[in-house]
Amino acid sequence: MNTDLLLAPVHSFLHCRTPQAWIDEASKPENLPLLLTDHLVCELKAAQTAMWLIRKYVADKESGETLLTWLKPWEQFVHSETVSLEFLQQHKGLSKAIISRTDVEYGDLLVDKMVLLIKEELHHFWQVMEIMQARNIAYMKITASRYAKGLLREVATYEPLTLVDKLICGAYIEARSCERFASLAPYLDDELAAFYVSLLRSEARHYQDYLALAVQIAPSDIALRVRKIGETEAKLITEPDNELRFHSGVPAW
Ligand SMILES: [Fe+2]
Ligand SMILES: [Fe+2]
């Protein structure tokens, strides 16, 4: 895989690279359980965000309920720590079609992109879980990083800009994940490095899908919004942070 080609648009979209201080901290073997756990939860959050967008903006009522039911076992697992993992085997795919409301112009497009994204993120969740199990890393609840909350503070409070801004935030989160997987891979053991490199293609596509949706749905040019949210994103990555997470800033300790 030509990762340079894949990463070029990601790097030009992001306003900064991951600081070396974060890579040094994140690649310490003692931090691996924390990092994998946060990665696991991030995969579910990515799926939940996509589900939320479909339910809020385009799905008919019945399809919305189907999506909720589909994700519930994963949510129960991360909240309770105790639910059996057997559900993962039984819920490998969403077989029912999601119907978008006829009054939403961009409905089918958003559903198509987001359903694919949900399936891929849940597959990643399962892959991370398998790695954790193989390494005897038990899942434990951890607090969320400041990153997503910090980004969402930028989101406009009126439609259609709320949706457009949320899509731009989605693009930044996916692009940063992609950049971080690539930055961290050379410092990890072979198995993990290969896994992280294998995620680059889908995360790069997710960022492009989010951005393309934002462009299509926005009533006017989004360049200024993209720049503003990009600046905030870069601050969250380059400013000191008190805890290590997959999307945390520069370690302050
Ligand atoms: Fe993912
Ligand atoms: Fe993704």
Side-chain angles (χ1 to χ4, degrees), residues 127-178:
Q127 287 179 298
V128 180
M129 198 70 227
E130 278 183 327
I131 289 175
M132 287 173 68
Q133 285 181 317
R135 294 173 185 229
N136 286 321
I137 299 172
Y139 169 75
M140 277 188 300
K141 275 203 271 188
I142 53 170
T143 54
S145 68
R146 66 181 187 184
Y147 181 78
K149 226 186 277 167
L151 268 186
L152 291 175
R153 234 175 263 137
E154 288 297 326
V155 170
T157 51
Y158 51 94
E159 299 290 1
L161 288 191
T162 305
L163 172 57
V164 172
D165 282 357
K166 283 200 165 153
L167 293 167
I168 297 171
C169 287
Y172 272 105
I173 296 168
E174 297 285 346
R176 179 61 65 189
S177 304
C178 185

Side-chain angles (χ1 to χ4, degrees), residues 43 121 124 203:
E43 297 291 1
E121 306 298 18
H124 298 161
E203 303 310 348

